PDB file of all heavy atoms in Angstrom:
ATOM      1  N   THR E 285      10.328  76.435 -30.107  1.00  0.00           N
ATOM      2  CA  THR E 285       9.952  77.409 -29.041  1.00  0.00           C
ATOM      3  C   THR E 285      11.196  77.984 -28.408  1.00  0.00           C
ATOM      4  O   THR E 285      11.161  79.058 -27.863  1.00  0.00           O
ATOM      5  CB  THR E 285       9.096  76.706 -27.948  1.00  0.00           C
ATOM      6  OG1 THR E 285       9.832  75.519 -27.507  1.00  0.00           O
ATOM      7  CG2 THR E 285       7.752  76.258 -28.552  1.00  0.00           C
ATOM      8  N   ALA E 286      12.277  77.227 -28.413  1.00  0.00           N
ATOM      9  CA  ALA E 286      13.562  77.690 -27.968  1.00  0.00           C
ATOM     10  C   ALA E 286      14.541  77.640 -29.113  1.00  0.00           C
ATOM     11  O   ALA E 286      14.822  76.562 -29.620  1.00  0.00           O
ATOM     12  CB  ALA E 286      14.010  76.809 -26.776  1.00  0.00           C
ATOM     13  N   THR E 287      15.062  78.779 -29.541  1.00  0.00           N
ATOM     14  CA  THR E 287      15.836  78.806 -30.793  1.00  0.00           C
ATOM     15  C   THR E 287      17.055  77.951 -30.804  1.00  0.00           C
ATOM     16  O   THR E 287      17.574  77.551 -31.826  1.00  0.00           O
ATOM     17  CB  THR E 287      16.234  80.277 -31.086  1.00  0.00           C
ATOM     18  OG1 THR E 287      16.988  80.791 -29.972  1.00  0.00           O
ATOM     19  CG2 THR E 287      15.030  81.155 -31.328  1.00  0.00           C
ATOM     20  N   ASP E 288      17.591  77.660 -29.654  1.00  0.00           N
ATOM     21  CA  ASP E 288      18.805  76.870 -29.540  1.00  0.00           C
ATOM     22  C   ASP E 288      18.587  75.379 -29.312  1.00  0.00           C
ATOM     23  O   ASP E 288      19.556  74.668 -29.158  1.00  0.00           O
ATOM     24  CB  ASP E 288      19.778  77.428 -28.492  1.00  0.00           C
ATOM     25  CG  ASP E 288      20.235  78.823 -28.796  1.00  0.00           C
ATOM     26  OD1 ASP E 288      20.339  79.146 -29.973  1.00  0.00           O
ATOM     27  OD2 ASP E 288      20.462  79.616 -27.836  1.00  0.00           O
ATOM     28  N   SER E 289      17.363  74.909 -29.205  1.00  0.00           N
ATOM     29  CA  SER E 289      17.061  73.588 -28.874  1.00  0.00           C
ATOM     30  C   SER E 289      17.160  72.681 -30.119  1.00  0.00           C
ATOM     31  O   SER E 289      16.092  72.375 -30.716  1.00  0.00           O
ATOM     32  CB  SER E 289      15.779  73.403 -28.242  1.00  0.00           C
ATOM     33  OG  SER E 289      14.693  74.025 -28.999  1.00  0.00           O
ATOM     34  N   TYR E 290      18.361  72.330 -30.587  1.00  0.00           N
ATOM     35  CA  TYR E 290      18.487  71.527 -31.761  1.00  0.00           C
ATOM     36  C   TYR E 290      17.953  70.191 -31.522  1.00  0.00           C
ATOM     37  O   TYR E 290      18.336  69.433 -30.638  1.00  0.00           O
ATOM     38  CB  TYR E 290      19.960  71.477 -32.169  1.00  0.00           C
ATOM     39  CG  TYR E 290      20.259  70.479 -33.287  1.00  0.00           C
ATOM     40  CD1 TYR E 290      19.913  70.768 -34.599  1.00  0.00           C
ATOM     41  CD2 TYR E 290      20.770  69.201 -32.998  1.00  0.00           C
ATOM     42  CE1 TYR E 290      20.148  69.814 -35.582  1.00  0.00           C
ATOM     43  CE2 TYR E 290      20.935  68.282 -33.974  1.00  0.00           C
ATOM     44  CZ  TYR E 290      20.667  68.578 -35.295  1.00  0.00           C
ATOM     45  OH  TYR E 290      20.930  67.621 -36.207  1.00  0.00           O
ATOM     46  N   LEU E 291      17.141  69.660 -32.478  1.00  0.00           N
ATOM     47  CA  LEU E 291      16.646  68.300 -32.495  1.00  0.00           C
ATOM     48  C   LEU E 291      16.443  67.842 -33.905  1.00  0.00           C
ATOM     49  O   LEU E 291      15.939  68.628 -34.745  1.00  0.00           O
ATOM     50  CB  LEU E 291      15.304  68.260 -31.770  1.00  0.00           C
ATOM     51  CG  LEU E 291      15.274  68.392 -30.235  1.00  0.00           C
ATOM     52  CD1 LEU E 291      13.807  68.487 -29.701  1.00  0.00           C
ATOM     53  CD2 LEU E 291      15.995  67.313 -29.547  1.00  0.00           C
ATOM     54  N   TYR E 292      16.720  66.633 -34.191  1.00  0.00           N
ATOM     55  CA  TYR E 292      16.483  65.998 -35.553  1.00  0.00           C
ATOM     56  C   TYR E 292      15.895  64.654 -35.216  1.00  0.00           C
ATOM     57  O   TYR E 292      16.582  63.764 -34.614  1.00  0.00           O
ATOM     58  CB  TYR E 292      17.722  65.893 -36.327  1.00  0.00           C
ATOM     59  CG  TYR E 292      17.579  65.059 -37.554  1.00  0.00           C
ATOM     60  CD1 TYR E 292      16.579  65.198 -38.482  1.00  0.00           C
ATOM     61  CD2 TYR E 292      18.497  63.952 -37.769  1.00  0.00           C
ATOM     62  CE1 TYR E 292      16.473  64.409 -39.577  1.00  0.00           C
ATOM     63  CE2 TYR E 292      18.357  63.133 -38.850  1.00  0.00           C
ATOM     64  CZ  TYR E 292      17.324  63.371 -39.746  1.00  0.00           C
ATOM     65  OH  TYR E 292      17.170  62.537 -40.842  1.00  0.00           O
ATOM     66  N   LEU E 293      14.612  64.361 -35.668  1.00  0.00           N
ATOM     67  CA  LEU E 293      14.031  63.078 -35.508  1.00  0.00           C
ATOM     68  C   LEU E 293      14.308  62.292 -36.778  1.00  0.00           C
ATOM     69  O   LEU E 293      13.738  62.520 -37.861  1.00  0.00           O
ATOM     70  CB  LEU E 293      12.464  63.274 -35.345  1.00  0.00           C
ATOM     71  CG  LEU E 293      11.680  61.926 -35.233  1.00  0.00           C
ATOM     72  CD1 LEU E 293      12.242  61.053 -34.109  1.00  0.00           C
ATOM     73  CD2 LEU E 293      10.214  62.155 -35.060  1.00  0.00           C
ATOM     74  N   GLU E 294      15.193  61.267 -36.635  1.00  0.00           N
ATOM     75  CA  GLU E 294      15.559  60.464 -37.724  1.00  0.00           C
ATOM     76  C   GLU E 294      14.537  59.446 -38.111  1.00  0.00           C
ATOM     77  O   GLU E 294      14.263  59.163 -39.311  1.00  0.00           O
ATOM     78  CB  GLU E 294      16.865  59.739 -37.341  1.00  0.00           C
ATOM     79  CG  GLU E 294      17.429  58.877 -38.487  1.00  0.00           C
ATOM     80  CD  GLU E 294      18.739  58.201 -38.066  1.00  0.00           C
ATOM     81  OE1 GLU E 294      19.854  58.792 -38.214  1.00  0.00           O
ATOM     82  OE2 GLU E 294      18.672  57.069 -37.598  1.00  0.00           O
TER      83      GLU E 294
END
Side-chain angles (χ1 to χ4, degrees):
T285 54
T287 56
D288 293 328
S289 55
Y290 169 78
L291 290 172
Y292 167 54
L293 177 56
E294 185 179 272

